[in-house]
Amino acid sequence: MANKSNAAAVTSPAKMASRARGVSARQKLLAFSSLVLLIIVFSILSPNFFQPYNLIAIMLATAVNGVLAVGVTFVIITGGIDLSVGTMMTFTAVMAAQTVAVWNLPVIVGVLVALLVGTICGLASGVMVAKFRIPPFIATLGMNMLTKGLSLIIANSKPIYFTNAPSFSKISMGTMFPFLENFQIPNAVIILFVLAILASFVLNNTILGRYTFAIGSNEEAVRLSGINTDRWKIAVYGVNGLICGIAGILIASRLNSAQPGLGQGYELDAIAAAVIGGTSLSGGEGTILGTIIGAFIMSTLTNGLRILSVPQEWQIVTTGIIIIFAVYMDMLRKRR
Amino acid sequence: MAEPIIVVRNLSKAFPGVQALRDVQFDLYPGEVHTLVGENGAGKSTLMKILSGVYQRDSGEILINGKPAEINNPRAAQRLGISIIHQELNLMNHLSAAQNIFIGREPRRSGGFLLDEKAINAKAKELFDMLHVDLDPRVKVGELTIAKQQMVEIVKALSFNARVLIMDEPTSPLNDTEVEELFDIIRHLRSQGVGIIYISHRMDELFRISDRITVLRDGQYMGTHRASETDLDQIISLMVGRKIDETARRVPKGKPGEVLLEVRNLNRGRLVKDVGFTVRKGEILGFAGLMGAGRTEVARAVFGADPVDSGEIYIRGRKVVIHHPRDAAKHGIGYLSEDRKRYGLAVGMPLVDNICMTDLPTFMNALGVLRPKKMQEASSEQVEALSIKTPSLLQKVKFLSGGNQQKVVVAKWLVKNCDVLFFDEPTRGIDVGAKQEIYQLLNELASLGKAVVMISSELPEILRMSDRVVVMCEGRITGELDGATATEEAVMKLATQRETMVKTA
């Protein structure tokens, strides 16, 4: 160990820094160029791929997973994990539907309820992790089952339809740019991009972002610097919950209903997107841009394989291989 | 003399089952280095943690600048001007040097909502310049050497306008040049009126840097001495309650036997250049040199842990090929790495599992089921042979003392009938009493007919333990000395004999 670090001392700090920057830039470039490569390959293989309607379909398919992935990226950067984002999303959707469709309250109230419920669930996970010292894996696995069960109970195991509020579906499926005739980007996609930009800004320019990275890098050091790490960890899980609420609104609006049985499995897609995008499961590293690219890689792959009529079973296999490959690349990078 | 910054009177602290500190006295004046020594568990860390606000005292008094003070948390300590540099550096590797220094008090802009990255880097640069530290504030800390990381920690500590700096074993991960740089900074700080509380296990440093020395033993205050008015023997006897002859040389029992291991023309890039040596049965061969001289690399190459460019290895005169640690183990070569916890032991598992771990197939029946009885027999044999102090074979290794943990690692290799044992810095980070145990162990192994290779950066230890001393510098062996007549000066001369110097000479 000591000998190694001594050998490294020969290189100047500036040189090492540029090497470090080179490595992380290369990783981002790798994810991005994989996405470009996928798009090129599918465009060559099928004339139907690179068409406005299909590109919009890919983006729409990315929206919900992308939003969840942005949230879970925060948690993963702290060195934690959240296995409940999918079912939390469903729970917030059910609560929104309950508010709007059953209690007949205005759509905006439903939206606020979803955001509030998501935030509360997230904060609860955060308290379990930070205060009760329950490992994140277990705490959020519990939250996964808890929210799944509650969704089924509240919705009586049946979908709730927004029959009385047609405007609800506009949240996802309407467009802010109706004038782009052939390229009507749905609001869900716009919301994803706005959220991503906002999240990226928060991660890089605010105290919350700085402590998110710091806690993931060395929590004890942060604590000894006189920072209340518990509070910030709870906040990060809370932010993730809030973002799950956004995803809940998007999916409910897109399906024009709340499907209480939905959600399980979404958490793994979200985690996969973050990891493909270079977020390290051991904490301290990650970018929102990477995560968004990761989410797009997954949906592009699924979409492209479907267009090429690859059976759905094989689509899943391919996604699995991509994830393993992405994590392996991450490991190679760390081992250097 | 000026007023003391810190006065500690009759401080006591108990943890469930242990009285960690009992009526301890301590004081610190501005512009002095006050060293705190004691064996592991003597209470040094507890005292430091109380002063830095990590623990609360049970009773006693702490005066800061003559006024009674309550240090309820690390923040309160910082406000009182007390900063601590922990033994294990507390940095965030993924953050830049500047971000590390200002964590928790980042300069803000836009009404306190956003971080001001420009200001943070400029402020850090200012601090670096003040201490003559050559560092780019934007470099990620994980990319720095341990020594530079430590500088970041020190700068961070001082950025709180600290008037008291507590340093817990700062030199243990540093090489000699780095230690000198650190001492320069300590002296600089001392001249600025900063009071420094220094904790170290390295006895040779004690008298080089300390103004006063306070000894703790089993949580009790054993006295404070001016460094100029005491000597190593007195300090050690206060620490352990008995006099240990640190300088007595090993007396080899009988003549060393046949050559067990011979290495010829070993090369590995720039790290190992044309290295050749032999070790005999019943002999301790010391590998001396500065850190980075290539000693660990030689051991790892012989052990098959790293690929070599060229070289021949002979066991008992027969040429062998070693590509993998598995091959080395098959030929009876064991390597005990410096970092026991990380590489050598599964600390959460019982003694017996650890001892038998490397050789599990021999403890299985035909169906592949482990035979606990056989494992326990083999283990208890080793426990007896090495006199490992443990309440039972099922004791988890993490509850054993450092010396006994080291023995467990040795036992692992003995179970496999290893005859050649490489010890890489076997006493690093171990207190004086445990060091004695390890020395005894090495002697016992030699008298059992094992060939022992000991890599050590501590010269007194090398001279004390070795029958022969091989000295390395920059990947080459620069000389071999007889253990009985070698002097520190002779070893140092060889250890600093760089290739360019040889050529011009």
Side-chain angles (χ1 to χ4, degrees), chain B residues 475-486:
Chain B
R476 294 164 305 115
I477 289 184
T478 47
E480 188 183 313
L481 300 165
D482 185 72
T485 54

Side-chain angles (χ1 to χ4, degrees), chain A residues 6 205 210-211 217-218 225, chain B residues 91 93 104 115 117 156 175:
Chain A
N6 189 42
N205 297 289
R210 177 62 47 80
Y211 292 164
S217 188
N218 187 346
S225 302
Chain B
L91 294 168
N93 286 339
L115 298 169
E117 212 52 24
K156 178 180 171 184
N175 68 28

Side-chain angles (χ1 to χ4, degrees), chain B residues 19-30:
Chain B
Q19 185 71 36
L21 294 173
R22 184 178 289 131
D23 288 334
V24 167
Q25 323 290 327
F26 187 81
D27 59 0
L28 181 73
Y29 288 88

